[in-house]
Amino acid sequence: MDRSAEFGRWKAQSLSKADLSRKGSVDEDAVEVVELLNSREEFFTTSSCAGRILLLDGSTNGPRVQKQHCCWLLVTHKPCVKDDVMAALKGATSDAVLKFEPFILHVQCRTLQDAQTLHSVAIDSGFRNSGITVGKRGKIMLVL
């Protein structure tokens, strides 16, 4: 199977799957860019988050914070105020961890040239930590 047909199959398969995130849908502030990329034949998104603030109940194992199998006391994709955090802390049963996670987007690209073009746009738009990876099976991913 040629690369273009294989990419088309991967795209159709990915876009037909249910959203497996805790929220179950694309974040409101990311919908426009996700829909734009998914409408283009050379791209599709595999994961996105518009950025969020998390307050987690549970101690950490060293410097790493685990999001799975812990209680989320507060999660918001919008600015929050001290009262929101203080109210959420009342539900804590152990140490709480406050995290900020910035916008992130995973985009599978049809060709390396497509990935390089989108990467240039991302860098020019301020996403300095963006990068391209090529998997063993030829999947080309851009993370920004």
Side-chain angles (χ1 to χ4, degrees):
M1 179 181 295
D2 69 46
R3 289 263 184 232
S4 185
E6 190 170 29
F7 176 83
R9 185 177 52 78
W10 287 334
K11 180 173 182 171
Q13 190 176 35
S14 179
L15 296 180
S16 68
K17 290 181 182 175
D19 187 322
L20 298 178
S21 65
R22 272 193 182 196
K23 184 177 174 213
S25 63
V26 174
D27 296 338
E28 181 181 330
D29 290 339
V31 167
E32 191 173 344
V33 71
V34 166
E35 288 179 349
L36 175 66
L37 289 168
N38 289 340
S39 73
R40 302 288 307 258
E41 70 179 45
E42 61 267 55
F43 307 115
F44 67 94
T45 59
T46 61
S47 176
S48 65
C49 180
R52 63 185 170 195
I53 297 168
L54 289 167
L55 185 62
L56 307 170
D57 185 19
S59 61
T60 62
N61 294 334
R64 298 192 59 181
V65 177
Q66 297 219 346
K67 291 184 289 186
Q68 295 181 340
H69 310 299
C70 67
C71 178
W72 293 26
L73 300 169
L74 172 73
V75 59
T76 181
H77 294 87
K78 304 289 183 190
C80 66
V81 295
K82 176 184 169 186
D83 291 344
D84 296 335
V85 175
M86 297 308 289
L89 278 171
K90 291 179 181 175
T93 59
S94 63
D95 292 340
V97 178
L98 181 65
K99 283 189 75 177
F100 170 73
E101 297 178 334
F103 175 87
I104 189 166
L105 185 64
H106 294 87
V107 182
Q108 190 166 336
C109 305
R110 183 186 56 191
T111 67
L112 188 55
Q113 180 62 47
D114 295 331
Q116 290 169 329
T117 300
L118 188 55
H119 184 250
S120 292
V121 170
I123 295 294
D124 291 345
S125 299
F127 292 95
R128 297 185 324 251
N129 296 322
S130 301
I132 299 169
T133 60
V134 180
K136 290 179 184 177
R137 294 180 47 212
K139 290 184 179 181
I140 302 164
M141 295 296 297
L142 172 66
V143 179
L144 54 119

